[in-house]
Amino acid sequence: MSQEQRYQQAMNRGHTAAWDQEWNRAAAFYSQALEEKPDDPKALSNIALALLNLQEYEKSLQYYLRAAEVSPDDPLPLEKAATLYVHMGQAAKASKLSDHAAELYLKEKNADKAIENWSRAVVLDFENLQAHTRLAVVYERLGRKPQAVREYLHMASLFQHAGRNEKAFEAVNRALQVDRNNKEAQQAQMMLRSGKMLPKPARPRGGTGPLEDIKLPQQPRLSAPKEPAESNLDPIEEAQKEALVTLARLFFEQSSEGEVRTTSRRGLQAIMDGTGDLAFTKNADRAKIMLHLGMAVELHTQGDSDQAAEELKGAINAGLDSPAAYFCLGVIQVASDRQESAVRNLQRAMPHADFALGSRLLLGGIWYQQGKYKQAAERYLEALRSADAQVVSPKHADELRELYEPLMDALSREKNEDHQKKLCENIAELLVRSNWRTHLRNARQQLGDQENDSSPIPLAEVLIESSSSDVVVAMSTVRSLARAGHLGAALEEILFALHRAPAYLPLHIVLGDLLVSKDRIMEAAEKFGVVARAYSSRGESRRAIKMLQRVVEMVPMNLVSRQQLIEHMVAFGQIDEAIEEYLKLAEVHYSMAEPGKARDVYNQALNLTSQSEKPVHWQVRILHRIADIETQSLSWRKAIELYKQICVLRPDDSEAYRSMVVLFFNLGNQDQALKAMDQYIATMNESENSDAVIRFLEQLISEQPGQAMIHYRLAVQYEQVGNISGAVRSYDVAGELLLEAGDKAGGAEMIQRIIWMNPPEKEKYQKLLASL
């Protein structure tokens, strides 16, 4: 192998401690080559790469800039320099270089790399109009319509905010030319026509786009890659990686060029921007949180864990409420032997699915070191249950978790510390290792339960000596008796079994089922509530949710249980389900004649929608319900404002427009009523949906039969679709109403429109017109 080949191999391997020496030699080798040929772009780039992997970023940047200068048509040095500027926090320079690199890639006809660099440019500077423009054109030429429409809408927003409304309309019209049925483009057009400001472009939620691809030594990725089937990390390291990804994502979603969103942003704009309050306490200081959070991520990247912990504590004290932050802080505190603090933070992180396994392993380790072997063994066994369920088929996962219950019950009664200690050591050895999933699968194969569709055997059975077969037999007996209709005998058997295993929760669940069968609903609900609290105390949010769902299904008015259900769903990441429960809770308050409390609950649900995968769907539903409360409370103006928000979110929402029109008429504001009506008609006519317009107007007439202008607009629609008899009938009614109101000119116009259609009774209308 030649010396240059050896250095190229070092460059391909990346930054590791073992190769630092090779990187230094590579830098020296190419520096010597540079002395012979000072403007050699290859040597300049290779020195820059070597310095990059030695983490000498400023020197690396200078060499990349020099390479770009001597090779002005090569986009690669510019692209690399841009990533270094990102790392150094100089976003403006990074955006400018990314823009330049994109242009060069386009000259090379490399559209994908051009898009990648322009995307980075707009992420770094979301008001970079040139980059948005180039992206829109390239996406359109490539046939990538959704992306093209998005960029044209970003352009429209930037033009409008700069006072260039004509250009804004041009950009929106271009978006509609690309995709005439695009709802966001139609919405933007409506907002421009009504003089409303379009939301400014914001960094995409759920990640930072092309910034995710920036790879610097020890630089954390800013969004979670899909975990491979097997990882070289142990469960604790996997959870820590996920936690860092989550914190970095939170930082980049909330920050934009040093400008932090504040808690004062509310209403429709906050909804459209996707801001939410899930990671923050009520009185959080977001600016302070973002300052501490950015420093924490950076310090952790640099290996300064102690100072990173201080920054995380600062963020939490300022109002950050994130399981990822608690887990990261707990990991650092474990490493620095601050065990009491670590326990508090890990227990707060444990309910979240991403950090449950890692938290339990760490807590077990802490209590093992403290000699609290029973507590440690319980946490380790919970960790094994969670891990074991991950490697069996999904259809067996719930059953396997249940089979751990007798083992956990037996452990709770275990007095032998040696047995407890040995169990901790066995589980730690089994799980705290790389390739742990493969190791677990291999262990399961030795149990012989993978060859058929039979019930899985818990791995814990080979790690503990105590037998719980009597409890399993009792469960089988109870179910057999219940199926045979012998409920009394089944109840006696279950109570007897509970004397032997009082902490075995599946027995309590079966007891609850028996109580339901005997129509003792309140007792069953109370039993399921107790089981839910027990699962919750163990950090088993998924199972607590299942129990609480049964409670609220049986006793819908149990507000405490429903609130607990919502909290568990949010903690477990079941956002859509939590929103649905919020709506049910609000309905309960409304049925109890508590509209104020119902409104408060709806607003809580509204704050949660930004975390949903379908935020507009939920926002429209919730705003409709709040508007209905305001209408029923005779707060008509408040209701109108809510309906306006709905119409912006969903321009084809006929119910919102209809309600708004009726309220305007009720307030005596005919001009605004007609304006809202015309807005909906124009939207529907643009999408060639005349049937929807006719249904809308017919429904309005049923509620406001004395409004001549509604009949007039319905007549126009009938005429446009060729329904002459309907048009004549509606013009006739409109004319009659106008004449009754003393508007002879308006009545005459309606009659003249009838005559122009040449109906069978044309002569009668001509005489009537002459008489006027």
Side-chain angles (χ1 to χ4, degrees):
M1 182 184 295
S2 70
Q3 194 173 24
E4 182 170 3
Q5 288 174 328
R6 180 176 177 82
Y7 298 146
Q8 288 297 329
Q9 184 184 38
M11 292 179 179
N12 293 333
R13 285 289 299 271
H15 175 75
T16 65
W19 283 81
D20 276 355
Q21 187 176 6
E22 293 297 335
W23 284 119
N24 280 306
R25 288 178 180 171
F29 175 81
Y30 286 108
S31 294
Q32 185 177 359
L34 202 61
E35 290 178 2
E36 299 174 3
K37 191 176 180 182
D39 291 335
D40 183 357
K42 178 182 176 182
L44 288 166
S45 293
N46 284 333
I47 293 172
L49 181 58
L51 292 170
L52 174 65
N53 282 276
L54 290 169
Q55 300 180 36
E56 297 185 29
Y57 299 135
E58 292 186 0
K59 290 183 179 179
S60 175
L61 174 63
Q62 296 307 314
Y63 277 97
Y64 274 130
L65 291 174
R66 176 62 180 155
E69 183 179 345
V70 301
S71 184
D73 295 326
D74 184 359
L76 186 61
L78 290 170
E79 185 179 29
K80 295 292 187 181
T83 64
L84 282 163
Y85 273 133
V86 171
H87 177 71
M88 295 175 181
Q90 299 186 46
K93 291 182 179 179
S95 180
K96 183 177 180 181
L97 289 186
S98 295
D99 208 339
H100 191 181
E103 295 286 351
L104 294 177
Y105 274 122
L106 195 63
K107 287 182 180 179
E108 295 179 355
K109 302 189 184 302
N110 190 338
D112 289 339
K113 291 295 290 183
I115 289 172
E116 178 184 328
N117 279 271
W118 273 316
S119 297
R120 183 184 298 117
V122 298
V123 167
L124 293 165
D125 177 9
F126 245 65
E127 296 190 16
N128 187 330
L129 185 57
Q130 179 179 341
H132 283 298
T133 304
R134 300 293 277 165
L135 278 171
V137 173
V138 172
Y139 280 140
E140 184 178 357
R141 289 179 179 174
L142 292 174
R144 293 162 67 172
K145 293 183 179 182
Q147 294 91 334
V149 169
R150 181 190 65 210
E151 295 303 329
Y152 280 123
L153 295 182
H154 287 164
M155 291 166 56
S157 173
L158 294 174
F159 280 129
Q160 185 193 37
H161 283 271
R164 301 167 66 184
N165 288 334
E166 184 177 343
K167 288 289 185 182
F169 273 102
E170 287 180 9
V172 169
N173 289 336
R174 187 65 183 177
L176 287 169
Q177 288 178 21
V178 174
D179 182 1
R180 64 179 297 177
N181 296 319
N182 186 278
K183 298 294 184 184
E184 293 181 2
Q186 293 172 357
Q187 173 184 326
Q189 188 179 60
M190 294 293 296
M191 292 178 72
L192 285 175
R193 286 177 175 173
S194 60
K196 296 177 181 177
M197 298 302 291
L198 298 175
K200 278 193 173 184
R203 193 172 263 112
R205 293 174 54 221
T208 57
L211 290 181
E212 296 172 5
D213 298 326
I214 296 175
K215 297 177 181 177
L216 296 179
Q218 297 185 355
Q219 186 78 345
R221 291 177 63 86
L222 300 182
S223 73
K226 290 185 178 179
E227 197 66 44
E230 188 53 78
S231 167
N232 289 324
L233 305 177
D234 66 40
I236 297 170
E237 292 168 338
E238 285 182 4
Q240 185 178 20
K241 178 181 178 181
E242 178 62 28
L244 284 170
V245 164
T246 301
L247 293 177
R249 182 187 301 126
L250 176 63
F251 175 76
F252 278 97
E253 284 179 349
Q254 294 293 322
S255 306
S256 179
E257 292 295 312
E259 182 179 327
V260 181
R261 293 179 179 144
T262 66
T263 54
S264 63
R265 297 187 63 187
R266 289 294 184 266
L268 178 63
Q269 191 63 46
I271 293 171
M272 295 184 69
D273 286 351
T275 57
D277 299 317
L278 290 181
F280 306 98
T281 59
K282 184 176 181 180
N283 298 315
D285 183 344
R286 296 200 188 190
K288 193 172 182 180
I289 289 172
M290 290 301 107
L291 180 63
H292 285 297
L293 192 56
M295 289 298 297
V297 174
E298 180 66 20
L299 288 165
H300 202 288
T301 298
Q302 296 173 359
D304 191 349
S305 297
D306 290 339
Q307 192 56 43
E310 293 303 313
E311 296 296 339
L312 281 173
K313 284 192 283 188
I316 291 170
N317 291 336
L320 178 65
D321 185 16
S322 166
Y326 299 133
F327 185 81
C328 270
L329 185 54
V331 171
I332 296 171
Q333 289 168 337
V334 169
S336 57
D337 205 29
R338 287 172 281 176
Q339 295 183 344
E340 290 186 9
S341 298
V343 167
R344 287 195 300 273
N345 285 300
L346 292 170
Q347 286 178 329
R348 297 184 75 177
M350 191 169 62
H352 195 283
D354 289 337
F355 313 117
L357 177 56
S359 295
R360 289 189 172 102
L361 289 172
L362 287 168
L363 287 168
I366 291 171
W367 286 325
Y368 180 87
Q369 290 179 11
Q370 294 176 349
K372 300 177 180 178
Y373 298 122
K374 183 177 180 180
Q375 286 178 268
E378 289 173 346
R379 281 292 176 258
Y380 272 123
L381 189 55
E382 290 171 3
L384 180 58
R385 176 173 62 179
S386 175
D388 204 2
Q390 291 185 39
V391 298
V392 298
S393 64
K395 65 180 179 181
H396 288 315
D398 284 342
E399 183 181 5
L400 179 62
R401 291 188 185 97
E402 185 172 310
L403 290 172
Y404 268 83
E405 291 292 344
L407 305 175
M408 299 180 75
D409 177 54
L411 179 62
S412 70
R413 292 180 278 108
E414 176 65 66
K415 305 297 182 183
N416 190 319
E417 282 197 351
D418 289 337
H419 290 169
Q420 296 164 352
K421 184 178 179 182
K422 184 63 176 176
L423 179 62
C424 294
E425 293 166 355
N426 288 342
I427 294 177
E429 182 181 358
L430 186 68
L431 292 182
V432 187
R433 58 165 66 207
S434 59
N435 301 320
W436 59 275
R437 292 181 182 85
T438 298
H439 194 67
L440 283 183
R441 292 189 186 99
N442 292 338
R444 294 208 62 79
Q445 288 176 357
Q446 295 175 21
L447 294 177
D449 70 321
Q450 304 297 306
E451 301 301 326
N452 51 50
D453 202 37
S454 61
S455 297
I457 300 172
L459 275 174
E461 285 195 1
V462 302
L463 301 179
I464 59 180
E465 299 175 3
S466 58
S467 172
S468 303
S469 60
D470 55 342
V471 176
V472 176
V473 170
M475 289 278 289
S476 177
T477 301
V478 169
R479 285 172 175 151
S480 297
L481 289 169
R483 282 195 297 269
H486 303 307
L487 299 182
L491 190 57
E492 289 181 11
E493 181 67 27
I494 201 76
L495 292 173
F496 181 70
L498 282 169
H499 280 296
R500 301 197 302 272
Y504 183 36
L505 294 181
L507 280 175
H508 290 273
I509 296 172
V510 173
L511 175 56
D513 290 334
L514 288 174
L515 292 171
V516 171
S517 300
K518 294 174 72 68
D519 290 329
R520 293 159 66 175
I521 301 301
M522 297 306 295
E523 292 175 72
E526 184 178 356
K527 173 58 68 177
F528 290 142
V530 170
V531 174
R533 288 193 293 275
Y535 279 133
S536 178
S537 67
R538 294 180 182 180
E540 287 284 324
S541 291
R542 183 187 58 81
R543 307 190 82 174
I545 288 169
K546 189 175 180 180
M547 288 295 99
L548 289 167
Q549 283 174 326
R550 297 195 65 179
V551 173
V552 299
E553 182 180 344
M554 290 187 295
V555 189
M557 306 300 283
N558 189 328
L559 303 184
V560 174
S561 293
R562 198 176 292 278
Q563 186 63 49
Q564 291 172 348
L565 174 59
I566 291 169
E567 291 170 1
H568 278 87
M569 284 176 165
V570 172
F572 204 62
Q574 296 182 357
I575 302 302
D576 288 340
E577 293 84 352
I579 296 172
E580 189 66 57
E581 289 302 327
Y582 265 129
L583 268 56
K584 292 177 182 177
L585 178 58
E587 288 171 5
V588 171
H589 281 299
Y590 192 76
S591 68
M592 296 169 64
E594 296 175 338
K597 290 183 179 180
R599 186 191 298 109
D600 292 341
V601 172
Y602 282 133
N603 281 319
Q604 291 174 35
L606 201 58
N607 286 334
L608 198 55
T609 58
S610 62
Q611 303 301 313
S612 168
E613 293 182 356
K614 44 182 183 181
V616 172
H617 165 79
W618 290 114
Q619 289 159 10
V620 169
R621 279 187 64 183
I622 295 166
L623 288 171
H624 263 298
R625 298 193 182 193
I626 301 175
D628 186 56
I629 290 176
E630 300 296 358
T631 301
Q632 297 297 323
S633 303
L634 302 183
S635 299
W636 291 346
R637 288 185 172 83
K638 289 182 180 179
I640 286 171
E641 291 306 312
L642 292 166
Y643 285 127
K644 286 180 179 179
Q645 293 183 23
I646 295 170
C647 293
V648 172
L649 289 167
R650 185 168 290 165
D652 61 351
D653 194 313
S654 61
E655 179 62 23
Y657 274 106
R658 184 196 61 75
S659 300
M660 182 164 53
V661 169
V662 170
L663 289 174
F664 274 129
F665 277 129
N666 291 346
L667 289 169
N669 194 337
Q670 182 173 341
D671 290 343
Q672 288 298 319
L674 296 177
K675 182 179 178 182
M677 197 187 314
D678 290 341
Q679 203 168 32
Y680 177 77
I681 293 171
T683 300
M684 291 298 97
N685 283 337
E686 283 178 6
S687 58
E688 300 180 357
N689 194 349
S690 56
D691 289 343
V693 175
I694 291 171
R695 287 194 301 271
F696 170 73
L697 293 170
E698 287 175 343
Q699 191 172 3
L700 274 176
I701 286 172
S702 69
E703 297 183 62
Q704 301 284 327
Q707 295 294 337
M709 289 298 99
I710 305 179
H711 291 278
Y712 162 67
R713 283 160 174 78
L714 179 58
V716 171
Q717 291 298 315
Y718 279 144
E719 187 175 0
Q720 289 177 355
V721 299
N723 184 350
I724 301 303
S725 62
V728 170
R729 184 172 60 253
S730 294
Y731 279 132
D732 190 302
V733 175
E736 185 177 349
L737 289 170
L738 290 170
L739 291 173
E740 288 177 358
D743 185 355
K744 288 187 177 181
E749 182 183 349
M750 298 300 106
I751 297 169
Q752 182 62 67
R753 286 177 174 272
I754 294 173
I755 294 169
W756 286 338
M757 289 188 291
N758 197 26
E761 298 178 322
K762 176 179 178 181
E763 186 177 342
K764 180 186 76 171
Y765 287 107
Q766 286 175 330
K767 290 180 180 179
L768 177 59
L769 180 62
S771 69
L772 290 175

